[in-house]
Each structure stands twice: as structure tokens, then as C-alpha cells.
């Protein structure tokens, strides 16, 4: 029975309302989650720079094409900065828009039932097929899916130019969408070659598609050229991907990743996968059947477009080779359309078959099974969420200790921190892979040198930007496995390490180092403008500030200083270290109940003579409190000469007496079951002279079991062991380095063997160093070297 025309006109509006309601209803509980994946954080950080008048690639960098970043910037301009709720609502709207486009396309090709199946498949799969972090996030691929779907619709409505324009927008959303241009081009060639005046029609229609595609692309090129950013646009959106990003995955890896969506469907929606496979087979059969009538050619053109679209979108999704679920959103519209055409086409076939009295009920049952399968998928996905990213605590801390206009920089692949802190990036590098050579997530092996992928000039650019902006906080993400950033301690970027050592102070190391982050707060002396106290008449009720000092056995010697104070009313705003009554360094921050600052102070900076250190705390109202002074000597823990022989290094014949042993918290040498053990509470350093004959050193090292025992209320956070060669000219070469954290890694418990070769003809000195763990906390750092043996050439 056919519906009256007035009713048929309302069907699209009804379906639009249904898919919109369905998409928002399924995704509504996910809108408030802060960050579903790192790409959302990148978009949010970039968008804030764009809304400040910045230009993508010049002032904020990512390696994808630009449309989605400007879309999020527009969203933030309307809905407010960092409005992740609006980002997730936009994702739901893109899903609804794509589902509605699929309904119109499938209805035009196979009737309204096929259209309803297409919309239903896409709405459900978009929410309940992929990993939640990919399904719920505002991914670039949602834009690609929308544009390519409506491009197909417009193409079949006889508007190839507009279709090309939408495909251009898809390409400007993500580069692999360029492949989807193949579907209309193949169909234009197929149709034109079957008609008279084929070449003229082919040229005209191809020209329309390509001209439509070129318009948004050329306008984008003109935009970046007008802003002096065309070279940056070309490099990061195109050349970087070809030169660095893409080569990390070989052809075999890309080919294997084409199977990912089918594995997902097989595991969750096997009936839909069967429908997809059967329909694809039917389409291929139809293309090759010997029919030449107009209806057959039209149907074949539809099959050709759909199958080509499926192939190109799957190839685009697999082009990265990394197999992330969200990549396959690009393939999802063609996938859903194929399954829907097959299922929707069964109804007229069953109704017209002579066995329809059996086939129609069977089709109803089959449809019910499909609906049940989709419902089970929604039920499985409902309520699934992700743990909050570990950086949210550090971000919240920065938010509460900075002003809204202050900026921060993150040394790591953690743009999430900009979002959690609510602060703008201090550099164009909103994540630091361009500075380290990390390619997500391929060259992550600990022993893989990634300097080949550092963008030329990037590090110098960063240092210039940091010196110009002087961010309030710099966050080092290398203290944990934060997206593999533990490969990149600051020592891998010496210029940045020196910049921070000179101008910043570490904040609350005990609190954040265990979470994988180290927070560096700008020193007052480095700020462009003197910090201003918040004022107010409320009493601060400052406690007596405290000073904690740990000798650092570095070369030259230094003190690891920690200063802290508290305010009962939350009004503490400045901490300063005083040396002989004069301010040596200090830092200001937003009013706080209390804070601990820590940094190394070289004795060379303190000068000769007596060193009296104290702490001054200042509240927002100007009230101050100062600690009592403590006196320190420049040679802490230096063992007397009479004890040096206890720490002699065994040789094949004889022994090597150290020139010095520095162990502020004590050192003993003893025999344990015939093994020579040097018990040295970290930090400690033993130095031996080398006369050019030493070739090899081996032995064991570790932490005493009591240091990390569960019954120890102040367990060690670990210790770092180093073997260093210092040449006669003073050049230092780390021959061995290992951080032990037996409280975290059980394998780090017990004696650990090591073996190192010394440089040929090494003359100078050999140092055995033990430093405190990542937080610089010496508690229970009961460390040792044992079974040491130095081999010589004679």
C-alpha cells in the first residue's frame, strides 16, 4: 500500500527527528566526560590559540588538515572555551546528520525500508561498535563521514560540483578522505563511457566534481598564504606525514589493518557482517551480469559508487596502519549502506515471491533478530566509561595556583593538561612529539632512538617561545609511562633542562612525581612583571616555614633545597629562600593553604664562607613569617682519608683506592658471605682514578629489602644508579644508568647485575653515583654496590 503524497513528504522530517533523538539519547550520558581521547585535548588546546587570533600550523601545530580545528574554535567562541559538553553534542549532531543522509540515499536507491535500516545501523554502530574513547569523542572522522555521505546524496541528485565541494571539505577534515574522491570519478567515467558523446560528458562531469573539490581546498590555501603560514601548512599537513608519520608502518601493516572493522563486527554484530558480505557479493555479481538496459546501467552505477566508496574509505581508514577504532568511522557510512541495501531489498523480493507466505514471516523474524542484535550492542555499551586521565590532578593543581591568563607548557604528549588546567599553551607545540621524534605509537621501544623524527629547528623555536612567553608552569611528563614519554627525560633535551634549572622551581615533587609528572613553577625573578599580592584584610594565620636540605653529590656539589609553609586560611602566596638574610630565589602563586617548592642550589652560587639558609613565607595580605636559619658546609658527607681504603675497587691483582667518598647519610664497607658490599645511603658518590689501563667494570647493585618492605611506613620511592666516566678534560660520559623502583616493579627487587665497557685508554676518573628516586626523597634509600670487579689490560 502506497502512502498518500502528503504523508510521504513528512517521512523525511520524521526520520530526521528520530535519528537526532536517538543519537542524542544514546550519547547524552557521555557529554559531560572531560576528555574521551587525546585528539579532543589537542583540538581544545589549538582552538584556544585560534580564538586568540592565532593561525593553525604557525601558532598551534597538529599534522591533520585544518577544518575540524577551526570548527572547534567556532564552537568555543559560541559556547565558551574548553566546552567539552558542546564538543560531544556536536559529535552527536554529526552522527545524526550522517544517519539522515544515509536514510535519504538508501531510500532513493532501494526504498524507505532500506533507508531506515541504513539510519538505524549507523546510529547504533556510531555509539556501540567502537572503543568508548573513540566512539564518544569528537573525532575528525565524524566530519569525514558526514561530508562523504552528503556528497554521495548530492551526486545522485545531479549536483556533481556540490558533491565535489563536500568531498573537498572531507579532505580538509582528514587527509585520507582524499581517496573517497574516487567513487564519483569512477561512476562519472562509467556512465559517460556508456553514452554517446562520451568524452565530452566525461570531461564536463569530471570537471564539475574536481572543480567543486578544488574550491574549498584553494580557498584554504589562500587563507594560509595570506597569513604567511602557507609553508607551515604544507609541511605539517602534508610533508610531515609523508616524511615521518606514514613510513613508520609498512604495506603489510596497512593491509592487515583493513581487517579491523570486520573483526569488530564479527565479535559484536555477526548478522550485520553477514548482511554486509552478502550485499557486497550481490553488488559485484550485478556489475558483471550481462544486462545493457537503462535500468540495469543505473543500478550498476549505484553499485559501482557504493562498492568503490567502501573500498576507498576502507583504504583511507587503513592508510595509517595503526588500527585505532576511530579511523574506521570513515568506512562506517558505506558499510552501513551496504548492509541496509541488502536487508531492505529482501522485503520486495519476499513480497513478490510465490513462496511469500513463508518468506515474509521469515523476513520479519530475521528483522527481529537484527533489532535484537543491535539492542544487545547498545546494552553492552551503555554505561561504559573510561578512568580519568592521570594528568587531571596536576591540571587541577595548576588551575588553582595560577591566574586565568597565565600560560603553561607541557613537555610530553599530554595536551589534556591544558584542558584540565584551563590554561592556554605557551608554545605552538601543544604536544611535544615534534620536539622528541615520537611517532604515535610506533617508535616507542625504550631503546629506539627517535631523533631522526625531530622536526628541524623545532627545539630552537620552542626555546625562543618559552623565553618570550615565560609560562607560569612547565610540566614534565617523563616521570611515568605517560604515552611512552618516560623515554624522554629532560636530559634528552639539555637546553630545555638548563632553561628550567635556571628559571623554575619544582613544586610538590612527592605529590606529583608518583603520578608520573613533575611541575616546574616560574621563579619570581624570571617573571616579566613583578608578582602582585592578592591583598585583603583577612588574617593569614601563617605557620612557621620549614626548610629541608639534602646534599647533592653532583659536580660541582649542590644542595637539594625544599621549602614549605602553610596558611590556616588558605592565603599563602609566596615562598622565598634566604641565604645569609638575602633572597636567593622565590616563587609566587595564587593564594593557597600551603605549598612545597624544591630545587638544587649549587654551592658555587652561594659563594665562599658560611652558608646560613632560611625560608620566608608571605601571605596575600602582606603578612610574613620566617624560619630559623640553618648552617651548611660545602663538603657534606665527605669521608676522611683514613676510611677511603675500605671502598677500594678489586682488581684482578690488587685494588684501586678511591680519591673520595661522599655519603652524607652514611657509608659502610663489609663482607657478606664472602661478597664485598658497599652500603651507601643515597645520595652517594665514590670516585676512582683511572690511569688508562681499565677496560671493564661489572658487579651488582640494589636496594636493601627493608627499604621497600610493605611493613616500612616510609618506603623508598626508588633510587637511580649510574656509572660515569669523567675524562681528564672534565667531559662526563654516562656509561650505565638504571632507576630501581621495587615498590612499583617487583623485578627491581634484589641484586641487579651490570656490566660496562670503559672507553679505550680511559684516563680521568670513574664515578659510582647513587641518586634519590624521582621525587628526590631520601627516605629509606638504603642502597648498595656489591661484587664489584674492575678489569684492566695488564
Amino acid at each position: 500500500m502506497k502512502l498518500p503524497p502528503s504523508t510521504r513528504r513528512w517521512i523525511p522530517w520524521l526520520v530526521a527527528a528520530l535519528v537526532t533523538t536517538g543519537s542524542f539519547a544514546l550519547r547524552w550520558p557521555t557529554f559531560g566526560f572531560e576528555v574521551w581521547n587525546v585528539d579532543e585535548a589537542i583540538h581544545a588546546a589549538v582552538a584556544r590559540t585560534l580564538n586568540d587570533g592565532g593561525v593553525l600550523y604557525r601558532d598551534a601545530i597538529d599534522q591533520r588538515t585544518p577544518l575540524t580545528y577551526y570548527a572547534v574554535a567556532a564552537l568555543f567562541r559560541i559556547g565558551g572555551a574548553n566546552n567539552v559538553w558542546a564538543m560531544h553534542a556536536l559529535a552527536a549532531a554529526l552522527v545524526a546528520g550522517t544517519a539522515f543522509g544515509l536514510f535519504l540515499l538508501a531510500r532513493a536507491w532501494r526504498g524507505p525500508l532500506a533507508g531506515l535500516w541504513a539510519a538505524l545501523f549507523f546510529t547504533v554502530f556510531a555509539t556501540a561498535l567502537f572503543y568508548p574513547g573513540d566512539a564518544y569523542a569528537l573525532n575528525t572522522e565524524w566530519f569525514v563521514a558526514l561530508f562523504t555521505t552528503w556528497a554521495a546524496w548530492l551526486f545522485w541528485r545531479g549536483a556533481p560540483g556540490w558533491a565535489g565541494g563536500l568531498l573537498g571539505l572531507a579532505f580538509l577534515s582528514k587527509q585520507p578522505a582524499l581517496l573517497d574522491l574516487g567513487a564519483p570519478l569512477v561512476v562519472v567515467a562509467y556512465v559517460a563511457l556508456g553514452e554517446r558523446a562520451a568524452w565530452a560528458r566525461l570531461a564536463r562531469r569530471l570537471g564539475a566534481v574536481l572543480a567543486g573539490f578544488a574550491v574549498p581546498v584553494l580557498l584554504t590555501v589562500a587563507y594560509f598564504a595570506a597569513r604567511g603560514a602557507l609553508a607551515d601548512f604544507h609541511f605539517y599537513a602534508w610533508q610531515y606525514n609523508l616524511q615521518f608519520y606514514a613510513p613508520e608502518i609498512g604495506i603489510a601493516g596497512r593491509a592487515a589493518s583493513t581487517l579491523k572493522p570486520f573483526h569488530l563486527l564479527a565479535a559484536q554484530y555477526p548478522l550485520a557482517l553477514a548482511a554486509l558480505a552478502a550485499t557486497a557479493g550481490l553488488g559485484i555479481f550485478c556489475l558483471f551480469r550481462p544486462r545493457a538496459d537503462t535500468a540495469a546501467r543505473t543500478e550498476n552505477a549505484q553499485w559501482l559508487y557504493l562498492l568503490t566508496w567502501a573500498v576507498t574509505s576502507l583504504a583511507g581508514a587503513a592508510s595509517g596502519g595503526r588500527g585505532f577504532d576511530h579511523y574506521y568511522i570513515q568506512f562506517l557510512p558505506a558499510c552501513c549502506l551496504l548492509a541496509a541495501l541488502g536487508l531492505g531489498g529482501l522485503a520486495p523480493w519476499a513480497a513478490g515471491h510465490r513462496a511469500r507466505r513463508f518468506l515474509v514471516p521469515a523476513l520479519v523474524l530475521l528483522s527481529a533478530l537484527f533489532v535484537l542484535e543491535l539492542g544487545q550492542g547498545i546494552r553492552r555499551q551503555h554505561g561504559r566509561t573510561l578512568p580519568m586521565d592521570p594528568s587531571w590532578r596536576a591540571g587541577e593543581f595548576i588551575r588553582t595556583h595560577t591566574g586565568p591568563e597565565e600560560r603553561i607548557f607541557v613537555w610530553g604528549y599530554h595536551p589534556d593538561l591544558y584542558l584540565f588546567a584551563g590554561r592556554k599553551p605557551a608554545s605552538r607545540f601543544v604536544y611535544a612529539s615534534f620536539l622528541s621524534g615520537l611517532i604515535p605509537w610506533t617508535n616507542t621501544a625504550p631503546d629506539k632512538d627517535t631523533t631522526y623524527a625531530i622536526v628541524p629547528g623545532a627545539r630552537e623555536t620552542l626555546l625562543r617561545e618559552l623565553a618570550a612567553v615565560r609560562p607560569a608552569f612547565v610540566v614534565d611528563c617523563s616521570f611515568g609511562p605517560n604515552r611512552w614519554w618516560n623515554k624522554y627525560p629532560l636530559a634528552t633535551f639539555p637546553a630545555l633542562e638548563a632553561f628550567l634549572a635556571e628559571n623554575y622551581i619544582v613544586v610538590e615533587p612527592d605529590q606529583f612525581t608518583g603520578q608520573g609528572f613533575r611541575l616546574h613553577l616560574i621563579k619570581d625573578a624570571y617573571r616579566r612583571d613583578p608578582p602582585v599580592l592578592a591583598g585583603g584584610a583577612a588574617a593569614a594565620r601563617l605557620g612557621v616555614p620549614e626548610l629541608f636540605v639534602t646534599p647533592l653529590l653532583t659536580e660541582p656539589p649542590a644542595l637539594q633545597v625544599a621549602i614549605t609553609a602553610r596558611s590556616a586560611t588558605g592565603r599563602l602566596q609566596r615562598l622565598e629562600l634566604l641565604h645569609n638574610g638575602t633572597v636567593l630565589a622565590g616563587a609566587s602563586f595564587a593564594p593557597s593553604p600551603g605549598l612545597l617548592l624544591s630545587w638544587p642550589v649549587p654551592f658555587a652560587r652561594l659563594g665562599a664562607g658560611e652558608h646560613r639558609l632560611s625560608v620566608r613565607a608571605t601571605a596575600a595580605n602582606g603578612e610574613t613569617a620566617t624560619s630559623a636559619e640553618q648552617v651548611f658546609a660545602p663538603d657534606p658527607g665527605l669521608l676522611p682519608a683514613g676510611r677511603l681504603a675500605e671502598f677500594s675497587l678489586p682488581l684482578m691483582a690488587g685494588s684501586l683506592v678511591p680519591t673520595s667518598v661522599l655519603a652524607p647519610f652514611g657509608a659502610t664497607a663489609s663482607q657478606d658471605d664472602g661478597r664485598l658490599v658497599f652500603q651507601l645511603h643515597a645520595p652517594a658518590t665514590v670516585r676512582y682514578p683511572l690511569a688508562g689501563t681499565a677496560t671493564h667494570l661489572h658487579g651488582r647493585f640494589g636496594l636493601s629489602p627493608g627499604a621497600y618492605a610493605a611493613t616500612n611506613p616510609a618506603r623508598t620511592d626508588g633510587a637511580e644508579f649510574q656509572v660515569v666516566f669523567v675524562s681528564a678534560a672534565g667531559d662526563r660520559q654516562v656509561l650505565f644508568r638504571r632507576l630501581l623502583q621495587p615498590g612499583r616493579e617487583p623485578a627491581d627487587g634484589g641484586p641487579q647485575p651490570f656490566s660496562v665497557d670503559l672507553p679505550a685508554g680511559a684516563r680521568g676518573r670513574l664515578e659510582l653515583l647513587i641518586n634519590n628516586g624521582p621525587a628526590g626523597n631520601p627516605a629509606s634509600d638504603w642502597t648498595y654496590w656489591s661484587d664489584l670487579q674492575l678489569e684492566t689490560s695488564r
Side-chain angles (χ1 to χ4, degrees):
M1 181 182 70
K2 288 189 176 181
L3 296 173
S6 59
T7 302
R8 289 201 299 270
R9 283 196 298 268
W10 281 101
I11 288 179
W13 296 103
L14 177 62
V15 172
L18 287 174
V19 296
T20 302
T21 302
S23 176
F24 274 77
L26 289 173
R27 304 170 77 89
W28 185 271
T30 73
F31 286 4
F33 192 79
E34 194 76 18
V35 183
W36 281 110
N37 68 23
V38 67
D39 291 342
E40 286 193 318
I42 294 171
H43 275 77
V46 169
R48 296 200 69 180
T49 298
L50 299 184
N51 282 337
D52 278 349
V55 177
L56 187 61
Y57 312 116
R58 186 191 71 189
D59 304 310
I61 295 174
D62 193 28
Q63 80 263 24
R64 281 164 286 208
T65 37
L67 186 146
T68 57
Y69 301 95
Y70 285 90
V72 174
L75 190 68
F76 284 1
R77 190 173 289 277
I78 297 168
N82 291 339
N83 191 337
V84 293
W85 195 97
M87 291 176 69
H88 300 152
L90 176 57
L94 293 170
V95 169
T98 306
F100 182 58
L102 289 172
F103 164 77
L104 293 178
L105 189 57
R107 187 184 69 155
W109 285 359
R110 295 294 184 275
L113 186 59
L116 290 173
W117 278 116
L120 180 61
F121 280 139
F122 189 84
T123 303
V124 173
F125 290 168
T127 301
L129 175 63
F130 304 121
Y131 172 69
D134 291 320
Y136 300 146
L138 180 61
N139 292 299
T140 57
E141 291 85 0
W142 293 125
F143 291 84
V144 173
L146 178 77
F147 292 137
T148 54
T149 297
W150 284 94
W153 166 245
L154 287 171
F155 184 80
W156 286 100
R157 296 283 290 181
W162 288 104
L166 286 181
L167 289 169
L169 295 179
F171 168 66
L172 292 173
S173 300
K174 194 174 182 184
Q175 296 92 326
L178 176 65
L179 297 177
D180 289 331
L181 187 61
L185 295 182
V186 166
V187 172
V188 164
Y190 170 80
V191 172
L193 292 174
E195 300 175 352
R196 294 182 179 181
W199 293 110
R201 291 180 181 274
L202 176 62
R204 188 164 56 250
R205 292 172 181 173
L206 285 178
V209 173
L210 294 175
F213 180 87
V215 168
V217 174
L218 291 178
L219 288 174
T220 300
V221 170
Y223 167 85
F224 286 108
R227 286 154 181 79
L230 185 58
D232 298 310
F233 169 47
H234 171 263
F235 177 80
Y236 285 105
W238 195 257
Q239 182 180 341
Y240 176 84
N241 292 284
L242 296 179
Q243 183 176 346
F244 298 112
Y245 194 82
E248 292 290 320
I249 305 293
I251 297 297
R254 298 169 200 269
S257 68
T258 59
L259 300 177
K260 178 67 178 286
F262 307 112
H263 289 158
L264 291 173
L265 287 169
Q268 302 176 70
Y269 304 97
L271 289 178
L273 177 61
L276 168 64
T279 310
L282 175 63
I284 294 171
F285 169 77
C286 290
L287 284 176
F288 289 98
R289 63 183 172 180
R291 288 179 56 192
D293 56 279
T294 301
R297 289 192 60 80
T298 300
E299 184 180 347
N300 283 353
Q302 294 170 356
W303 283 119
L304 185 60
Y305 191 105
L306 180 52
L307 292 171
T308 304
W309 183 17
V311 170
T312 58
S313 61
L314 182 58
S319 62
R322 287 159 174 82
F324 302 141
D325 282 12
H326 66 87
Y327 282 11
Y328 300 95
I329 293 170
Q330 181 178 351
F331 172 63
L332 198 56
C335 167
C336 293
L337 189 56
L338 271 169
L341 293 187
L343 196 56
L346 289 177
W349 171 79
H353 199 278
R354 60 185 180 184
R356 58 181 173 273
R357 60 183 299 182
F358 303 107
L359 292 177
V360 171
L363 180 58
V364 171
L365 177 60
L366 179 62
S367 300
L369 291 175
F370 270 90
V371 172
L372 179 62
E373 182 177 78
L374 296 175
Q376 288 176 332
I378 294 172
R379 183 182 57 80
R380 283 193 302 269
Q381 191 81 335
H382 180 71
R384 289 183 64 189
T385 186
L386 299 176
M388 285 289 287
D389 187 90
S391 65
W392 75 267
R393 297 180 185 87
E396 186 61 29
F397 180 89
I398 292 171
R399 183 195 296 268
T400 59
H401 288 85
T402 56
E405 296 306 313
E406 292 187 289
R407 293 175 180 263
I408 67 173
F409 172 71
V410 177
W411 171 246
Y413 204 102
H414 246 86
D416 322 56
L417 279 158
Y418 299 112
L419 193 56
F420 292 135
R423 299 295 177 258
K424 299 173 184 176
S427 167
R428 70 188 68 187
F429 300 104
V430 296
Y431 56 96
S433 64
F434 304 108
L435 303 157
S436 67
L438 174 70
I439 304 293
W441 306 111
T442 56
N443 56 358
T444 57
D447 58 346
K448 175 73 172 180
D449 182 3
T450 63
T451 55
Y452 67 90
I454 296 176
V455 172
R459 291 190 166 190
E460 293 77 9
T461 298
L462 171 70
L463 293 172
R464 288 195 299 269
E465 291 177 341
L466 295 182
V469 176
R470 303 189 182 187
F473 273 92
V474 174
V475 183
D476 177 8
C477 301
S478 68
F479 283 83
N482 300 306
R483 298 179 183 135
W484 288 277
W485 206 258
N486 50 344
K487 280 186 63 170
Y488 306 105
L490 286 171
T492 62
F493 191 172
L496 178 59
E497 184 178 37
F499 171 81
L500 294 178
E502 179 67 23
N503 303 307
Y504 285 78
I505 295 173
V506 176
V507 182
E508 298 288 355
D510 286 348
Q511 179 179 349
F512 293 108
T513 303
Q515 299 170 20
F517 304 95
R518 175 158 284 183
L519 278 56
H520 299 259
L521 173 64
I522 189 171
K523 293 179 180 177
D524 285 347
Y526 193 62
R527 289 182 180 269
R528 290 201 173 277
D529 301 313
V532 178
L533 297 176
R541 296 170 58 190
L542 290 174
V544 177
E546 295 181 271
L547 170 67
F548 306 96
V549 177
T550 302
L552 289 178
L553 307 182
T554 55
E555 187 62 41
L559 294 173
Q560 183 68 39
V561 175
I563 60 177
T564 185
R566 298 198 65 80
S567 165
T569 58
R571 305 290 289 166
L572 176 67
Q573 199 169 355
R574 181 177 298 150
L575 284 171
E576 296 167 301
L577 176 67
L578 307 182
H579 175 246
N580 296 341
T582 302
V583 175
L584 184 65
S588 300
F589 35 86
S592 170
L595 208 62
L596 184 144
L597 308 179
S598 176
W599 73 103
V601 179
F603 276 104
R605 177 166 294 185
L606 301 179
E610 187 178 63
H611 303 299
R612 294 177 289 108
L613 300 180
S614 59
V615 186
R616 182 168 65 203
T618 304
N621 62 1
E623 178 185 337
T624 64
T626 305
S627 71
E629 291 184 325
Q630 299 182 37
V631 180
F632 298 92
D635 56 350
L638 188 65
L639 264 62
R643 290 195 57 197
L644 294 181
E646 299 175 21
F647 296 88
S648 295
L649 198 59
L651 303 174
M652 295 299 291
S655 61
L656 183 64
V657 178
T659 56
S660 65
V661 176
L662 289 87
F665 298 114
T668 61
S670 62
Q671 291 286 336
D672 183 3
D673 291 333
R675 298 164 48 244
L676 180 60
V677 180
F678 297 161
Q679 298 280 359
L680 301 155
H681 190 296
T685 300
V686 186
R687 299 188 177 108
Y688 298 93
L690 295 179
T693 59
T695 59
H696 188 81
L697 176 69
H698 61 87
R700 297 173 182 268
F701 63 97
L703 285 122
S704 298
Y708 52 90
T711 55
N712 184 345
R715 285 191 298 170
T716 178
D717 68 335
E720 183 185 62
F721 297 75
Q722 293 185 34
V723 178
V724 179
F725 168 67
V726 183
S727 71
D731 298 324
R732 299 179 66 84
Q733 179 182 354
V734 178
L735 305 178
F736 172 80
R737 173 182 286 155
R738 172 86 183 275
L739 173 65
L740 296 184
Q741 292 182 291
R744 284 188 176 185
E745 297 290 338
D748 286 351
Q752 306 290 319
F754 79 97
S755 179
V756 294
D757 291 322
L758 276 61
R763 292 181 177 271
R765 72 173 182 266
L766 184 68
E767 295 185 353
L768 304 182
L769 281 76
I770 310 175
N771 293 319
N772 302 122
N777 183 355
S780 298
D781 284 353
W782 305 325
T783 51
Y784 63 85
W785 299 96
S786 70
D787 303 312
L788 295 173
Q789 183 73 47
L790 182 65
E791 299 177 5
T792 61
S793 57
R794 62 178 182 272

